[in-house]
Amino acid sequence: LLKPDLAAPGVDVWAAVASPAGGSGSPPEFGFLSGTSMASPHVAGALALLRGLYPEWSPAEVQSALALTADRSAPAIGGPMDVGAGRVDLAAAARSGIVLDLPDPQSGDPMRGGEPSALNLASLADFNCLGQCQWKRTVRSVAQETVTWQLSASGDAGLALAVQPARLTLEPGETGAFTVTADVGSIRTDAHAFGTVHVVPDNGPPAATLAALGVW
């Protein structure tokens, strides 16, 4: 599993703070606060707004829309282990053309014979990728029209990523699957390597990306 999933504003957020000691009748006080407790409400609020806009989406599909359309354009925000898919872009998520569902999260439980890396998440991770590793993902089209998606991948030096098929044409509501293969043969055995799976539409919705990670 690749964590965190997302990043959100969490530095110097103008927020309510505890009232001064001395009485419950004191007026609320406000100040600048930083940290996860500030970023978390941004993500929760984004999820709530998307659920309101698309009540038929499952919680996993809503979360995947945020991850697939997250903003990764600012290098200063850090790598996948710092920000996951990137910074939340709610406007882009609301226009997402594909989502990923996770009907049975417990299917990835190793205690039940599952494999966490096989969970249908909007990221790909394998912390024990020896030579080659592979992931399969299934997406559902939530676009209003038929869209052809071009699939490709790029990675760090020494990480060879391949996607099959290279094209997915999905009608509204249709599901489709693709497989990503990583070849890590030329990377030293104690390294982290990162890549990106690009899912680009021929029209309509915004492009989607999946963060890929290999650790050996």
Side-chain angles (χ1 to χ4, degrees):
L1 298 177
L2 177 62
K3 297 293 179 182
D5 295 298
L6 294 163
V11 178
D12 288 342
V13 176
W14 183 247
V17 299
S19 298
S24 58
S26 301
E29 293 292 326
F30 295 87
F32 289 104
L33 296 177
S34 301
T36 303
S37 60
M38 295 292 97
S40 179
H42 281 84
V43 178
L47 287 163
L49 287 170
L50 282 179
R51 284 303 301 272
L53 190 60
Y54 303 110
E56 72 280 7
W57 289 10
S58 71
E61 289 178 330
V62 174
Q63 192 273 347
S64 72
L66 289 173
L68 291 171
T69 58
D71 183 5
R72 303 177 64 196
S73 62
I77 66 174
M81 283 187 168
D82 303 305
V83 299
R87 181 162 168 159
V88 169
D89 184 340
L90 185 54
R95 298 187 296 111
S96 182
I98 53 173
V99 292
L100 292 87
D101 198 9
L102 189 59
D104 182 16
Q106 295 189 45
S107 65
D109 185 353
M111 297 296 291
R112 300 183 177 207
E115 173 53 57
S117 66
L119 290 172
N120 198 44
L121 301 173
S123 61
L124 316 169
D126 193 319
F127 284 79
N128 189 32
C129 186
L130 303 175
Q132 279 194 349
C133 50
Q134 197 171 77
W135 305 269
K136 180 180 179 180
R137 293 295 182 265
T138 300
V139 299
R140 180 173 72 91
S141 173
V142 292
Q144 299 300 309
E145 66 281 335
T146 299
V147 179
T148 295
W149 300 84
Q150 308 289 339
L151 285 75
S152 62
S154 58
D156 290 345
L159 175 63
L161 292 170
V163 189
Q164 290 292 332
R167 291 163 55 94
L168 276 179
T169 298
L170 301 175
E171 298 179 0
E174 185 179 7
T175 61
F178 60 89
T179 300
V180 180
T181 302
D183 188 323
V184 299
S186 60
I187 301 177
R188 71 178 194 271
T189 56
D190 61 345
H192 301 107
F194 299 98
T196 304
V197 178
H198 311 276
V199 189
V200 181
D202 61 356
N203 62 284
T209 59
L210 290 82
L213 162 68
V215 181
W216 305 279

